[in-house]
Amino acid sequence: MSAQTFFIGFFGLAAVWFGVVVFRTHSMVRSALALLFSQTALGALFLSMQAEFLGVLQIMMMATEMSIMAIFMVMFMMDPGGLGEMDMTHQKRLSLAAGFVAFAAAVAAAVFVDWGPVAGVAPDAAQQTHDLGIELLGRSMLIFETAGVTILTAMIAATAVAMPAVKRIGNK
Amino acid sequence: MNVELLLALVTGAALFGVGIYGALSQTNLVMIMMGVELILAAAMVNLVAFWRYLHPDAAAAQMFVLIVMTVMAIEMAVGFGVAIARFRARGSVEMEEAAELKG
Amino acid sequence: MIAGARQGKLSGLRRLTALAMARDLRAFIVPGADIARAHGLDIEAAGMQVVASPRHASVLLVVGVIPPALREAAAVIYAQMMRPRALFVLGPDELDQLPEADIREDLSQQDLIRGVRRLRSAFAEGAFRPDVADFDAPVLHVRIQYTCPMHPEVVQDEPGSCPKCGMNLVAREAPATAGHTHADQPELIVDADTHATPAQDHAAQHGMNHDAPAEYTCPMHPEVVQNEPGSCPECGMNLELRETKGTKSHEDAGISPDSDHSSMDHNHMDHGDMAFMSMVGVTKDLPRSSDGLPMDWIDVPFGPFFPGLPGGLLLTLTLDGDTVAGSSVQTPGGNEELLQHSALDAGSFIERLAKVEPLAPVSYRLLACRATENAAGVEVPAATACARVGALERERIASHLGWLALFGQQTGFDWLQRCAASLQLKVQNAGIRQVLALKPDIAFLIKRLHRTPLLKSRTAGVGRLAPNAALRGPVARAAGIGNDARSTDPSYAALGFTPVCREGCDALARLQVRVEEITHGLALIVAAGAIELPAPINIGEASGAGEAAVETPRGVARLRLTLEKGRVTAAQLETPSTLHLALIDPLIKQLALGDALLAIGSLDLAPWEVRQ
Amino acid sequence: MTTVLVLLLLLAAGTYLVAVLEAWTASGRFRLAGPVVAGIALLGREFIVPRKPDRIFFEVAPVLLLLSALLAAAVVPLTPDLIITDLATGALFINAALVYVLVALLMAGWGPNGAYAMIGGWRFLGQLIAYAMLIVMPITAVVMRAESLLTTRIVASQAGLWNIVYQPLGFMLFFVAAMALAFLPPFDLPTAKAELAGGVEAEYSGVRLAIFRLGRLALIVTLAAAAVVFYLGGWQGPWLPPWAWSAIKILAVCATMLLAGRAMPRVRDADLLHWCWILGIPLALLNIFLVGLLVLVLP
């Protein structure tokens, strides 16, 4: 077993385990931080698959994102500390079944599809970063720009929705 | 069949399953968003794995992952915007109480 | 040997750490650094470092007399400190809730230094002991109750499930009776048998109170509140029922100080037997923040020994995030009879009044002197009156410097804190020559203060007060009211006095007024040419009624008294801080926490002189 | 392996000197033995666990703070060869590691179940959203000039002209944001002594407090080292050997960071957010634009 296999397995397991913890813990802050560590483990998984830029970016982006998640969890949950051990789920059986079926189907696809020849080596990290930059600002520029504009629109829209409706309706 | 590719894909599948379970079973909007984040994360794992083991020379695959990250951020922004607005109006982001959203 | 030693044999590595602990003394000062300075103590020069949290302290330094009301809080502070910990008492005070003092010295800098030396050897030898007893005090006993996180009105002494929704009940501490700096003590003695105090019963009743006055409010416009149902004048939506906030804060007091993780409690009761827990129900009665979100408010105690507030001031803030939603203030004692039910002779009365307020003893001594002289009809020679002005102004300078030190501490402006504190220590007992010698240092401090970046943006607009009759002293003068007892004082008129006045009514204006008064005070001392403590004049067997007013550093204090054959039989004191205390609540509403504390600090309250 | 050990030792030495400096700026007393005495004393003192804590968070937070500082230090070169790992994404990695300072403080705030700590933790979160951009965007401009994310390449790109001259605006923004990230005065909102009795630090005692403070000091050194690499030409300089230049520059930046905030009052959090959004981010964008122009115009 190569080191790469080991690390992929290890970080994959960690990511899944933290993912499960998200829905198992009663404390909402723990839940948000479990999601953070799940995503961080994925970042490490990317690193062990030699996708250096993506891995580091994932580790960086998710930390801020999930920290913000944590504060919203505390705001919007009935029992953020989880001391009441209340159950906040519904249609549990259906969800479990759906989750399991999705998992099984995806695994089946992974196992039974012929993925074709496997490439041995990836380009080194500096080359990858360079290629990605060229790709982003060359062929995929339109998609990249669209994504940028979309995120800006989403930011503005979200802010507008979230702002208090001061005198907006009142003036009609 | 490459072991590493399989491991990565199974990881993706497991995250996908957990995410589906979370998105369906949780009653709170924020928790549902967490489920969706996991589903998107699963997609990212698969994309990276395909890039690494099938097309390591295609930079477009990496760009695709960046797009998924953007989608995650957008989902967060819009989700929280809606959550704040609902919380302000109704004092709750529980889905059981969002009858009027069903349309 | 110290009572708060840590368990273990003193050997090897532990001996080394004990030696390090003896070198590294970190003190938490009770009741506060301001009192220590007023007694002329320089803690840092004596070799101890002052810390802000009892968790970081190894020495509890008690300065002077602690009123009985604060002793419980002192015991809680002691219980929160890390072991090995020592109790270092300066002064003759017996503290009933605390263990026997490890080191006891008199109240002076030499004694403090000697005490620190003794403390070092006590730590080096007795930091670890194989047999240590846990510190135990009645205030640390906590009764555990069980309550439903969804239905806080369900409270019982046994674990079980909620009769309304079937959830498991969670344990919590029964509401405490006194406020502490930190509500959570490290050592808990769980005592399920303690009977509920009246205060707790009261809180429990409030939780069940269905008859609370109802208010109707618009879900979109929280500012719309009326007493009857109807539609919102702004958007036409139907108004929703909510209960008034009064009940909420009472009921909350038990859980909130430790910002309990299950803090989404509420006092909504009409869920009936709903199987599904409605979050709408949970948040319906929560108070709305200024941005319209129904948020959970927590009550956080600040004081009585909080590092950023005058020592002894017990402030409880209801915090909505980082914003202050409400507050309550308490001061230690203040109800003591001036005469303690018996007539005092004039000399002891003056001594007694000088001790009322440790932060401004000269002013109160002068007040008592003047009132007795007025009652006896004695005239004071002009030279003495002039020298008394010198002493009063010296105290004003020292007090304002002390306030600057507190201001520096509050704003994290270390240089100002250090510089102002050391100047205060030098000025407060200096003779006229020394005061004049310190003039350049004070001028440098003021010049540097004027050039400080960010100072304006930090203070301008904070703690804005409408000019009104309840303002006294520098606070009034910063609001443009020339309220100054010195203007009518003939001995001041002879020295060419004009009051300092500023418009602005905010913390910046108060800072400027105090700084300017320091400069004016120096000029007045130069004009007076002498400093002499007011001494009681022999009034013989005189009788009569008299009154006097003195402009203390915090504002005018008035004293009325009746003399009968040389003995004071009745006395009535009016102090500026009593009036200022009532300003706090409206002053800090909707301010951010840092601004709120700064606003309170800018009032320069002296909790000790508050009389109710 | 030896590189790692040497660098860790150097980091420890730097941290120690910074501890001495910080004690000096805070109390006005220069005691060379102060930090070691305080550290040993804390090791012997009791570690108190408050009531009803989130024990995992409470225990992990100080370690995570230290870890994130150490990880960020791993890609900082002291000389061309003295670097633990010269990652191809080094400049981004520093960022990624430092974001976990926020996570650590959030955990330290939530863990002990105390109001002061919790407010401190949330305050830092509010702060970070404002200035995280001010760390990333100046680094972007630095990377644009170097045309590489490699930290060694970034230093090499400044051979002719240090970035502090090439893009002074970026340096100022990065410096201020770094001070805010290390919650140094005047940005010490999460640990404000007189507002929150120590804030996130308030409930820590004994060994954990020692680790928390150590992590914070290591963070200051790392940030100073990053500032040196990005803007002050790293190891470059005449006469002295490269390592000496790195050391001198890092200590000088540390001292400036520690001293700068002591002579002014703490910033209000509302003001900080306001300035970051209204002033900081437009200036950072302007900086990127200017550097882009310079890169295109200058050969």
Side-chain angles (χ1 to χ4, degrees):
Chain A
M1 194 170 71
S2 71
Q4 195 185 28
T5 321
F6 171 75
F7 280 119
I8 290 177
F10 177 76
F11 288 122
L13 210 62
V16 175
W17 187 72
F18 277 120
V20 172
V21 168
V22 172
F23 302 109
R24 295 268 306 162
T25 175
H26 288 284
S27 160
M28 291 305 119
V29 178
R30 277 197 184 185
S31 185
L33 288 197
L35 186 56
L36 160 62
F37 288 119
S38 171
Q39 305 277 14
T40 310
L42 278 191
L45 182 71
F46 294 174
L47 286 181
S48 41
M49 286 198 279
Q50 290 161 305
E52 198 178 299
F53 182 79
L54 291 181
V56 174
L57 193 67
Q58 165 89 357
I59 291 174
M60 184 175 102
M61 292 254 308
M62 292 307 150
T64 358
E65 228 178 285
M66 297 310 147
S67 304
I68 298 167
M69 195 85 137
I71 197 166
F72 279 97
M73 297 296 284
V74 174
M75 274 167 75
F76 293 153
M77 299 301 268
M78 285 189 259
D79 181 15
L83 295 180
E85 314 231 316
M86 52 196 286
D87 187 28
M88 303 232 268
T89 53
H90 59 176
Q91 46 192 13
K92 212 165 176 175
R93 201 169 291 231
L94 170 79
S95 316
L96 263 180
F100 191 76
V101 167
F103 171 66
V107 169
V111 174
F112 294 116
V113 170
D114 174 24
W115 294 111
V118 168
V121 278
D124 70 22
Q127 185 63 38
Q128 273 177 43
T129 318
H130 178 260
D131 289 351
L132 182 58
I134 299 294
E135 172 79 27
L136 280 180
L137 296 177
R139 208 159 59 101
S140 309
M141 184 131 176
L142 190 63
I143 307 172
F144 185 50
E145 295 285 307
T146 314
V149 174
T150 315
I151 208 165
L152 183 66
T153 319
M155 272 164 64
I156 295 170
T159 315
V161 168
M163 290 232 284
V166 186
K167 309 259 173 190
R168 220 171 31 192
I169 317 166
N171 290 340
K172 67 184 169 188
Chain B
M1 182 78 204
N2 182 301
V3 185
E4 283 132 25
L5 175 62
L6 189 66
L7 266 178
L9 290 182
V10 169
T11 303
L15 282 175
F16 185 60
V18 174
I20 292 270
Y21 162 77
L24 289 179
S25 72
Q26 298 297 311
T27 57
N28 193 296
L29 180 59
V30 189
M31 290 300 279
I32 293 172
M33 280 164 61
M34 291 199 168
V36 177
E37 296 266 312
L38 278 178
I39 295 173
L40 289 172
M44 287 201 297
V45 180
N46 281 17
L47 283 171
V48 174
F50 289 145
W51 164 79
R52 170 64 186 82
Y53 297 107
L54 302 180
H55 305 286
D57 293 320
Q62 291 212 2
M63 192 217 57
F64 208 165
V65 178
L66 287 185
I67 299 292
V68 176
M69 280 190 193
T70 317
V71 171
M72 278 169 99
I74 292 174
E75 178 238 310
M76 288 264 297
V78 175
F80 284 137
V82 172
I84 291 184
R86 277 203 60 69
F87 198 63
R88 193 194 303 284
R90 301 278 297 128
S92 167
V93 292
E94 293 288 313
M95 292 326 282
E96 307 259 314
E97 295 167 344
E100 70 265 40
L101 273 190
K102 283 177 186 158
Chain C
M1 287 297 147
I2 44 180
R6 197 175 176 191
Q7 181 123 31
K9 269 211 176 74
L10 186 63
S11 60
L13 209 56
R14 289 220 179 99
R15 198 174 291 276
L16 181 70
T17 58
L19 280 176
M21 283 174 214
R23 301 280 318 148
D24 183 63
L25 296 176
R26 284 163 195 264
F28 189 89
I29 310 175
V30 168
D34 49 348
I35 300 286
R37 282 198 305 269
H39 285 295
L41 303 177
D42 190 347
I43 312 284
E44 305 243 320
M48 289 196 281
Q49 291 182 52
V50 181
V51 293
S53 164
R55 297 269 194 239
H56 303 168
S58 58
V59 180
L60 183 68
L61 180 65
V62 180
V63 180
V65 181
I66 305 293
L70 296 183
R71 289 184 188 163
E72 274 192 356
V76 172
I77 296 277
Y78 182 73
Q80 288 172 344
M81 290 163 44
M82 348 180 233
R83 277 170 291 202
R85 58 195 171 199
L87 181 61
F88 183 6
V89 179
L90 291 172
D93 204 12
E94 288 296 331
L95 299 156
D96 44 11
Q97 298 259 1
L98 284 165
E100 184 60 28
D102 294 305
I103 309 283
R104 183 184 291 278
E105 290 286 351
D106 286 335
L107 250 179
S108 78
Q109 183 71 13
Q110 286 83 21
D111 290 310
L112 173 70
I113 292 171
R114 195 174 60 230
V116 169
R117 214 175 300 134
R118 284 173 57 199
L119 203 56
R120 287 196 204 283
S121 59
F123 262 110
E125 288 156 20
F128 292 91
R129 252 179 25 200
D131 54 327
V132 284
D134 268 352
F135 169 56
D136 186 9
V139 60
L140 300 177
H141 289 249
V142 169
R143 199 171 62 101
I144 296 294
Q145 292 175 335
Y146 293 85
T147 180
C148 172
M150 306 301 302
H151 301 96
E153 70 277 13
V154 176
V155 176
Q156 57 186 53
D157 287 339
E158 303 283 310
S161 58
C162 174
K164 298 205 177 182
C165 61
M167 278 174 73
N168 280 338
L169 297 186
V170 292
R172 71 162 195 212
E173 287 99 42
T177 45
H180 316 123
T181 358
H182 291 47
D184 39 350
Q185 305 102 27
E187 291 144 285
L188 260 191
I189 303 98
V190 176
D191 183 359
D193 294 326
T194 317
H195 294 292
T197 64
Q200 289 157 12
D201 288 342
H202 180 66
Q205 276 166 12
H206 263 287
M208 310 234 205
N209 188 355
H210 285 260
D211 307 327
E215 279 180 356
Y216 292 84
T217 181
C218 171
M220 305 300 297
H221 301 94
E223 70 276 10
V224 176
V225 176
Q226 58 186 56
N227 291 332
E228 32 204 70
S231 59
C232 173
E234 303 212 12
C235 60
M237 279 174 74
N238 280 338
L239 296 187
E240 291 182 356
L241 177 74
R242 76 162 188 217
E243 276 174 49
T244 44
K245 290 163 191 168
T247 46
K248 161 78 184 160
S249 59
H250 268 291
E251 191 267 320
D252 236 24
I255 320 183
S256 311
D258 47 349
S259 81
D260 213 306
H261 286 173
S262 68
S263 53
M264 279 278 179
D265 53 8
H266 62 118
N267 55 2
H268 178 72
M269 36 260 22
D270 304 316
H271 288 307
D273 287 48
M274 287 161 71
F276 163 70
M277 283 164 300
S278 159
M279 193 167 174
V280 174
V282 175
T283 53
K284 200 164 99 182
D285 301 317
L286 283 180
R288 296 250 169 180
S289 313
S290 53
D291 58 3
L293 293 176
M295 282 291 122
D296 218 20
W297 291 0
I298 54 172
D299 286 344
V300 186
F302 287 85
F305 309 126
F306 194 72
L309 288 173
L313 186 72
L314 170 53
L315 178 75
T316 307
L317 295 180
T318 306
L319 288 178
D320 166 23
D322 202 2
T323 311
V324 177
S327 65
S328 73
V329 194
Q330 281 172 33
T331 49
N335 290 318
E336 278 175 81
E337 287 291 320
L338 278 179
L339 299 172
Q340 287 181 328
H341 307 296
S342 64
L344 281 173
D345 68 80
S348 2
F349 176 75
I350 290 169
E351 292 303 323
R352 181 161 173 69
L353 204 65
K355 288 208 178 91
V356 160
E357 150 73 315
L359 295 173
V362 179
S363 309
Y364 281 87
R365 179 186 288 273
L366 179 61
L367 182 65
C369 286
R370 282 199 186 163
T372 43
E373 287 153 14
N374 180 270
V378 184
E379 274 297 314
V380 184
T384 317
C386 213
R388 283 177 173 184
V389 166
L392 185 60
E393 287 305 314
R394 184 186 66 186
E395 181 170 89
R396 193 181 318 281
I397 294 170
S399 171
H400 286 350
L401 284 169
W403 178 82
L404 276 177
L406 177 73
F407 173 77
Q409 189 181 11
Q410 279 192 324
T411 53
F413 189 175
D414 290 340
W415 177 83
L416 177 65
Q417 185 195 350
R418 273 210 308 279
C419 191
S422 81
L423 278 174
Q424 184 199 2
L425 287 168
K426 283 181 197 153
V427 167
Q428 65 188 357
N429 289 314
I432 180 131
R433 287 238 179 97
Q434 290 152 294
V435 171
L436 294 182
L438 287 170
K439 234 176 135 176
D441 289 352
I442 294 175
F444 174 72
L445 174 82
I446 292 171
K447 205 170 119 198
R448 174 105 186 249
L449 202 57
H450 282 305
R451 287 200 312 238
T452 302
L454 293 179
L455 192 67
K456 261 214 174 103
S457 78
R458 183 74 188 83
T459 51
V462 173
R464 204 175 277 281
L465 278 170
N468 69 48
L471 305 184
R472 292 284 183 274
V475 179
R477 295 194 280 278
I481 307 170
N483 177 335
D484 200 324
R486 292 177 289 175
S487 321
T488 53
D489 192 326
S491 40
Y492 271 97
L495 300 175
F497 168 80
T498 46
V500 182
C501 245
R502 288 272 164 159
E503 303 290 332
C505 326
D506 56 0
L508 178 63
R510 276 165 229 149
L511 171 71
Q512 287 167 339
V513 164
R514 291 201 178 95
V515 166
E516 213 152 305
E517 283 187 2
I518 292 176
T519 325
H520 280 214
L522 282 171
L524 286 170
I525 291 178
V526 174
I531 293 176
E532 185 192 309
L533 276 188
I537 289 179
N538 188 10
I539 51 165
E541 296 280 292
S543 298
E547 70 175 313
V550 164
E551 183 75 16
T552 73
R554 291 169 182 80
V556 60
R558 287 202 172 79
L559 179 67
R560 273 188 211 91
L561 54 74
T562 317
L563 276 180
E564 271 175 35
K565 293 190 181 158
R567 296 176 73 80
V568 184
T569 52
Q572 202 188 356
L573 180 64
E574 188 188 299
T575 62
S577 292
T578 315
L579 291 164
H580 287 166
L581 206 64
L583 298 173
I584 290 183
D585 191 54
L587 179 67
I588 60 176
K589 276 242 167 82
Q590 296 307 325
L591 287 186
L593 175 60
D595 288 353
L597 291 175
L598 193 68
I600 295 171
S602 74
L603 295 179
D604 194 12
L605 293 164
W608 317 97
E609 65 175 23
V610 173
R611 317 207 66 80
Q612 276 127 4
Chain D
M1 204 60 221
T2 36
T3 328
V4 177
L5 275 181
V6 167
L7 272 166
L8 276 181
L9 276 179
L10 284 175
L11 188 66
T15 307
Y16 190 82
L17 287 177
V18 170
V20 174
L21 270 178
E22 184 173 39
W24 176 54
T25 54
S27 73
R29 264 167 257 277
F30 191 82
R31 288 168 62 208
L32 208 54
V36 72
V37 171
I40 293 176
L42 275 179
L43 292 186
R45 285 182 180 141
E46 185 184 17
F47 170 57
I48 307 166
V49 180
R51 276 188 299 179
K52 285 199 253 163
D54 196 323
R55 190 74 193 256
I56 299 178
F57 283 11
F58 190 57
E59 302 269 1
V60 166
V63 182
L64 186 62
L65 182 66
L66 183 61
L67 202 65
S68 75
L70 290 182
L71 279 178
V75 293
V76 174
L78 289 185
T79 72
D81 305 315
L82 202 57
I83 176 169
I84 293 178
T85 162
D86 197 6
L87 277 183
T89 50
L92 191 67
F93 185 83
I94 290 186
N95 250 307
L98 290 179
V99 173
Y100 284 79
V101 172
L102 164 72
V103 181
L105 255 68
L106 217 56
M107 288 163 102
W110 183 258
N113 189 18
Y116 300 141
M118 188 179 74
I119 295 172
W122 293 138
R123 265 185 178 189
F124 193 64
L125 177 63
Q127 239 177 303
L128 181 123
I129 293 168
Y131 65 72
M133 287 288 126
L134 295 191
I135 295 221
V136 180
M137 286 157 85
I139 293 183
T140 310
V142 169
V143 170
M144 277 163 64
R145 186 187 177 200
E147 296 182 12
S148 169
L149 287 167
L150 283 163
T151 42
T152 44
R153 199 80 69 78
I154 287 175
V155 175
S157 78
Q158 302 172 55
L161 189 65
W162 290 358
N163 271 338
I164 190 172
V165 187
Y166 194 86
Q167 33 186 312
L169 192 57
F171 174 71
M172 281 189 298
L173 292 173
F174 182 84
F175 189 80
V176 171
M179 279 174 73
L181 179 62
F183 42 101
L184 280 167
F187 305 107
D188 55 343
L189 289 158
T191 51
K193 272 189 184 156
E195 284 173 23
L196 296 172
V200 288
E201 271 185 11
E203 301 288 342
Y204 279 99
S205 54
V207 188
R208 309 303 192 284
L209 180 65
I211 298 176
F212 195 97
R213 296 216 163 129
L214 181 68
R216 201 263 185 110
L217 292 167
L219 177 66
I220 296 173
V221 178
T222 305
L223 280 167
V228 167
V229 166
F230 290 147
Y231 292 98
L232 295 174
W235 60 76
Q236 292 165 3
W239 309 306
L240 292 175
W243 62 267
W245 272 115
S246 286
I248 291 171
K249 287 177 190 172
I250 290 172
L251 284 180
V253 173
C254 282
T256 323
M257 278 181 164
L258 289 169
L259 282 171
R262 300 281 175 188
M264 58 183 83
R266 188 179 299 123
V267 179
R268 295 164 69 184
D269 39 2
D271 283 350
L272 180 61
L273 288 176
H274 187 77
W275 292 333
C276 280
W277 285 112
I278 300 293
L279 204 65
I281 291 177
L283 281 181
L285 284 171
L286 179 72
N287 180 50
I288 291 180
F289 178 72
L290 287 179
V291 172
L293 274 187
L294 283 177
V295 167
L296 288 180
V297 171
L298 295 180

